[in-house]
């Protein structure tokens, strides 16, 4: 009996030891991938090359020279590629994620600032801001499929969820162009807030919300009729807006108002306000819309917001002046990634366990501005 009791005790200790090891591995190795898969983050700053960060090893593994002032960093939805723009040189560039090298440069015209893709990933869209053009590109052949005239100073082209329309934000003119995605021809041009910079589109393709960082208003546009419905007054000038996956609410972050405003997208009314801190700047919303993480550029921390209860949870410390946020996955994220502008690093934050918090900070160069994540 004594031998049996000893065996049970030893067996129990082994089980506890194995469980402890598993917990430690999950704490210090946040991503478990199948053999051959890689999970990389690509970070752009204002002047230097892209920094490639391995999110399993939690270290920088490459630098890629894509040209000066990279902009519009995007991971291709179906291909192992990162796309971006070089406004100074007038081209788009494509990075092969497997080799961490630039595979193609595509001349598009002066002043491209952004890239978007069709829902099936077959086409890429950009604008030439200095020549007022919308450009469509075949992602496989890298050839330009067509061009179309836009309003003055287009800075962004975005596909609707059904892929039938392209919305072009004409910043210099203060309009939203509605273009047919197949022909690129303009169907309507709608006056919106001055100096517009971003657009959010409802999942049913019916309405778009247009944001300007210089104005304390958001424009609401009917895409079916090509009409301005209203301009919603905000508590302060916004820095970012995020749409709930079901399209029911739009979350607008404002450093000037020190908080978050919630817009009801069905009634087009500004609703709840949540006080966040000194200078809330950027956000990242979990896929289930349960929590919105908001960076505070002045307080060096990130505030998780319980969306259902409109409650700010315990803040998470980051580096100096956190700004742009991203997740390691759009399906089941376990890591939150924050670009720290003042300290020039990438904060990697664990969010998938009860013991959420900062894992490490990885140097990525001065004043990081954009990030894209790719699993390949």
């Amino acid at each position: 009996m004594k031998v049996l009791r000893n065996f049970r005790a030893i067996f129990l200790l082994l089980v506890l030891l194995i469980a402890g090891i598993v917990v430690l591995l999950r704490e210090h190795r946040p991503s478990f991938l199948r053999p051959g898969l890689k999970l990389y983050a690509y970070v752009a700053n204002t002047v230097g090359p892209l920094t490639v960060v391995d999110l399993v090893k939690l270290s920088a593994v490459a630098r890629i020279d894509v040209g000066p002032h990279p902009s519009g960093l995007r991971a291709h939805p179906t291909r192992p590629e990162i796309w971006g723009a070089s406004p100074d040189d007038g081209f788009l560039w494509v990075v092969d994620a497997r080799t961490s090298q630039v595979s193609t440069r595509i001349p598009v015209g002066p002043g491209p600032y952004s890239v978007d893709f069709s829902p099936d990933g077959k086409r890429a869209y950009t604008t030439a801001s200095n020549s007022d053009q919308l450009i469509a590109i075949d992602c496989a052949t890298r050839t330009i499929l067509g061009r179309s005239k836009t309003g003055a100073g287009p800075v962004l082209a975005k596909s609707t969820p059904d892929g039938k329309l392209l919305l072009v934000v004409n910043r210099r003119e203060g309009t939203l162009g509605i273009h047919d995605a197949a022909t690129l021809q303009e169907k309507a041009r709608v006056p919106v807030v001055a100096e517009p910079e971003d657009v959010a589109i409802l999942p049913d393709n019916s309405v778009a919300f247009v944001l300007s960082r210089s104005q304390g208003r958001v424009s609401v546009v009917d895409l079916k009729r090509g009409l301005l419905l209203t301009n919603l007054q905000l508590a302060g000038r916004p820095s970012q807006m995020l749409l709930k996956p079901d399209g029911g609410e739009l979350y607008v972050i404002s450093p000037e108002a020190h908080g978050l405003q919630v817009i009801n997208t069905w009634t087009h009314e500004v609703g709840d306000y949540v006080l966040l801190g000194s200078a809330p700047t950027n956000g990242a919303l979990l896929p289930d819309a349960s929590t919105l993480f908001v960076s505070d550029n002045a307080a060096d921390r990130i505030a998780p917001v319980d969306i259902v209860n409109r409650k700010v949870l315990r803040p998470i410390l980051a580096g100096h002046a956190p700004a742009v946020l991203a997740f390691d996955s759009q399906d089941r994220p376990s890591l939150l990634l924050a670009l720290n502008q003042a300290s020039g690093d990438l904060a990697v934050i664990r969010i998938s366990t009860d013991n959420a918090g900062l894992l490490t900070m990885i140097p990525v160069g001065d004043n990081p501005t954009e990030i894209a994540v790719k699993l390949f």
Side-chain angles (χ1 to χ4, degrees):
M1 292 296 294
K2 184 176 181 181
V3 173
L4 182 60
R5 285 197 300 270
N6 289 340
F7 173 78
R8 288 176 176 172
I10 293 171
F11 178 77
L12 180 60
L13 287 173
L14 285 173
V15 170
L16 292 174
L17 179 61
I18 292 171
I21 291 172
V22 169
V23 170
L24 287 173
L25 286 174
R26 287 178 176 172
E27 294 285 322
H28 297 283
R29 183 183 172 89
S31 298
F32 292 93
L33 302 177
R34 296 194 307 271
L37 285 181
K38 295 180 180 179
L39 181 62
Y40 283 177
Y42 299 80
V43 179
N45 57 34
T46 51
V47 292
L50 294 186
T51 300
V52 184
V53 176
D54 187 320
L55 292 178
V56 175
K57 297 179 180 178
L58 297 182
S59 63
V61 294
R63 300 282 194 276
I64 307 172
D65 185 10
V66 296
H69 308 112
S71 178
L73 206 60
R74 289 291 304 277
H76 192 280
T78 61
R79 303 168 65 91
E81 296 170 346
I82 302 295
W83 288 56
S86 287
D88 296 353
D89 295 328
F91 59 76
L92 300 188
W93 43 262
V94 182
V95 168
D96 188 326
R98 296 164 298 190
T99 62
S100 293
Q101 294 182 348
V102 176
S103 61
T104 310
R105 287 184 169 88
I106 308 168
V108 295
Y113 288 98
S114 63
V115 184
D116 194 30
F117 301 103
S118 58
D120 61 7
K122 293 181 178 180
R123 284 187 169 197
Y125 303 107
T126 190
T127 57
S129 182
N130 296 342
S131 59
D132 301 337
Q133 287 187 323
L134 168 66
I135 301 110
I137 299 165
D138 187 300
C139 291
T141 64
R142 321 295 203 210
T143 57
I144 292 179
L145 299 173
R147 296 175 181 267
S148 178
K149 194 67 176 175
T150 68
V155 294
L156 174 68
K158 183 174 286 190
S159 172
T160 53
D162 63 4
K164 295 181 179 180
L165 296 176
L166 294 173
L167 306 187
V168 177
V169 177
N170 302 307
R171 189 175 189 273
R172 190 160 63 247
E173 187 178 89
T175 62
L176 180 72
I178 303 174
H179 292 248
D180 182 274
T183 65
L184 303 186
Q185 293 304 304
E186 187 177 63
K187 301 177 68 173
R189 191 181 301 178
V190 183
V192 293
V193 289
E195 300 180 329
E197 295 180 62
D198 197 9
V199 60
I201 309 164
L202 292 187
D204 65 0
N205 314 287
S206 62
V207 173
F209 296 83
V210 184
L211 172 144
S212 170
R213 293 182 176 89
S214 67
Q215 308 292 317
R217 295 178 299 161
V218 168
S219 294
V220 186
V221 176
D222 185 324
L223 298 180
K224 305 292 185 183
R225 296 181 293 165
L227 296 174
L228 176 68
L229 295 175
T230 187
N231 287 314
L232 298 176
Q233 188 66 44
L234 303 173
R237 289 175 294 180
S239 57
Q240 189 184 10
M241 59 180 175
L242 301 99
L243 186 65
K244 192 176 180 181
D246 66 7
E249 293 181 333
L250 184 72
Y251 307 111
V252 182
I253 300 169
S254 173
E256 193 171 80
H258 308 291
L260 170 76
Q261 284 189 276
V262 181
I263 295 174
N264 185 313
T265 60
W266 309 121
T267 62
H268 309 151
E269 295 176 337
V270 180
D272 295 333
Y273 167 83
V274 182
L275 179 65
L276 295 178
S278 300
T281 309
N282 293 85
L285 181 65
L286 285 178
D288 64 2
S290 61
T291 306
L292 173 64
F293 295 89
V294 181
S295 60
D296 191 320
N297 199 261
D300 296 343
R301 64 186 186 183
I302 295 166
V305 181
D306 180 338
I307 287 297
V308 175
N309 298 303
R310 309 291 201 238
K311 180 181 179 182
V312 180
L313 306 177
R314 182 171 61 87
I316 303 169
L317 294 179
H320 297 306
V324 175
L325 303 179
F327 295 119
D328 63 330
S329 167
Q330 292 302 312
D331 298 322
R332 298 179 61 186
S334 61
L335 298 176
L336 176 67
L337 311 173
L339 296 183
N340 295 315
Q341 293 180 327
S343 51
D345 47 42
L346 173 68
V348 181
I349 298 164
R350 181 181 53 251
I351 59 171
S352 61
T353 68
D354 293 334
N355 188 27
L358 181 66
L359 280 174
T360 187
M361 291 191 289
I362 303 166
V364 292
D366 294 339
N367 193 29
T369 55
E370 297 186 34
I371 184 171
V373 177
K374 187 65 182 178
L375 174 67
F376 60 96

